[in-house]
């Protein structure tokens, strides 16, 4: 897939419609959301965002943009904290928890296999199929937009991106002037379910120093887009 500085679209997969949503609400869920500026992500090479209540991570790698669910399909690990490496000629994000390898372009899980009956056999890379849901990234006039995928098949990463499992991080206000800080799931026991909260006081001084600003879906630098 080639990237154009003016406009670039990458196709993804889409989840089944939520039966609890009306048809109108469901369609609104798949409208594009501006998540930041192209200049910023080119410098940082990754960013996190909340798109219609779904947490995603956007990578800029080798001139292309890729967006996927932020939590690893295997155990909910924070993919935005992982390293990007090449395996079998494919760029992959490596989950920092259990080193699971996920292709940026397709969301496939990769693993090495070997024939135990052949002592001279060498390990080869194989695909588990699509495990991580990939979303659409569009670049328009210097703004980065993400559109959630609408492919109807069930994807393993949906388990951690929907329902109560996505409530495993806490948001605190960064200042009285607005904005929120996110305490990442990495700092919490994996099985501890916490509700999303928005506190009214200042940021507690006891929080870890590695918290990061939460992206705003109403960023003034990102104009509304039809």
């Amino acid at each position: 897939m080639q990237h154009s500085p003016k406009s670039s679209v990458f196709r993804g997969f889409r989840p089944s419609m939520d039966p609890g949503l009306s048809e109108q609400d469901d369609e609104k869920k798949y409208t594009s959301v501006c998540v930041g500026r192209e200049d910023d992500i080119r410098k940082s090479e990754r960013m996190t965002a909340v798109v219609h209540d779904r947490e995603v991570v956007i990578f800029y790698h080798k001139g292309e943009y890729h967006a996927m669910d932020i939590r690893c399909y295997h155990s909910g690990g924070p993919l935005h904290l992982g390293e990007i490496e090449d395996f079998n000629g494919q760029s992959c994000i490596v989950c920092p928890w259990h080193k699971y390898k996920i292709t940026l372009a397709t969301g496939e899980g990769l693993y090495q296999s070997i024939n135990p009956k052949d002592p001279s056999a060498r390990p080869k890379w194989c695909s588990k199929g699509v495990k991580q849901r990939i979303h659409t990234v569009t670049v328009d006039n210097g703004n980065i937009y993400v559109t959630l995928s609408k492919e109807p098949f069930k994807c393993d990463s949906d388990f951690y991106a929907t329902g109560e499992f996505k409530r495993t991080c806490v948001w605190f206000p960064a200042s009285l002037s607005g904005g929120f800080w996110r305490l990442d799931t990495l700092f919490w026991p994996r099985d501890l379910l916490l509700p999303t909260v928005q506190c009214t006081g200042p940021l507690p001084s006891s929080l870890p120093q590695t918290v990061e600003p939460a992206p705003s879906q109403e960023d003034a630098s990102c104009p509304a887009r039809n």
Side-chain angles (χ1 to χ4, degrees):
M1 293 175 287
Q2 299 297 320
H3 166 251
S4 167
K6 183 177 180 180
S7 179
S8 179
V9 178
F10 299 89
R11 300 298 180 186
F13 305 99
R14 75 194 204 185
S16 302
M17 291 187 178
D18 187 339
L21 296 177
S22 66
E23 184 176 347
Q24 183 177 3
D25 290 338
D26 190 76
E27 286 303 316
K28 183 179 179 181
K29 180 180 177 182
Y30 300 114
T31 57
S32 298
V33 172
C34 181
V35 297
R37 294 286 297 173
E38 187 176 19
D39 291 343
D40 294 332
I41 191 174
R42 286 195 172 197
K43 294 176 182 177
S44 63
E45 298 185 340
R46 66 185 64 192
M47 66 185 299
T48 62
V50 179
V51 180
H52 296 304
D53 204 33
R54 192 177 186 115
E55 291 181 280
V56 301
V57 57
I58 304 97
F59 297 104
Y60 177 71
H61 184 67
K62 294 182 178 180
E64 295 184 347
Y65 294 96
H66 307 275
M68 62 177 61
D69 288 342
I70 198 170
R71 301 168 193 271
C72 178
Y73 72 90
H74 168 240
S75 194
L79 293 181
H80 64 296
L81 299 181
E83 297 294 331
I84 295 177
E85 301 180 34
D86 283 351
F87 298 96
N88 198 35
Q90 301 181 79
S91 297
C92 299
I93 182 69
V94 181
C95 180
W97 278 4
H98 304 110
K99 308 304 179 185
Y100 273 55
K101 299 160 182 63
I102 303 166
T103 61
L104 295 180
T106 63
E108 293 176 78
L110 298 186
Y111 69 101
Q112 280 188 305
S113 68
I114 192 170
N115 184 356
K117 298 181 179 180
D118 183 359
S120 63
R122 294 183 179 182
K124 64 178 182 178
W125 287 102
C126 300
S127 172
K128 303 176 184 177
V130 176
K131 295 292 186 177
Q132 199 75 18
R133 191 171 290 281
I134 301 297
H135 305 289
T136 301
V137 179
T138 305
V139 182
D140 186 18
N141 197 29
N143 297 314
I144 302 290
Y145 296 87
V146 173
T147 307
L148 297 181
S149 84
K150 298 177 69 175
E151 292 298 326
F153 75 90
K154 185 176 180 180
C155 196
D156 286 8
S157 66
D158 293 342
F159 181 74
Y160 294 100
T162 58
E164 61 183 4
F165 279 92
K166 68 182 177 183
R167 305 300 185 183
T168 54
C169 65
V170 181
W171 297 82
F172 295 94
S175 68
L176 295 179
S177 61
F180 287 87
W181 290 84
R182 173 185 172 185
L183 182 59
D184 194 83
T185 54
L186 187 64
F187 300 110
W188 296 96
R190 226 166 295 160
D191 297 327
L192 180 62
L193 300 181
L194 297 174
T196 298
V197 297
Q198 295 183 349
C199 305
T200 56
L203 184 69
S205 59
S206 60
L207 282 178
Q209 296 301 307
T210 49
V211 293
E212 60 183 86
S216 171
Q217 293 179 255
E218 303 296 335
D219 193 326
S221 64
C222 297
R225 186 165 181 251
N226 296 326

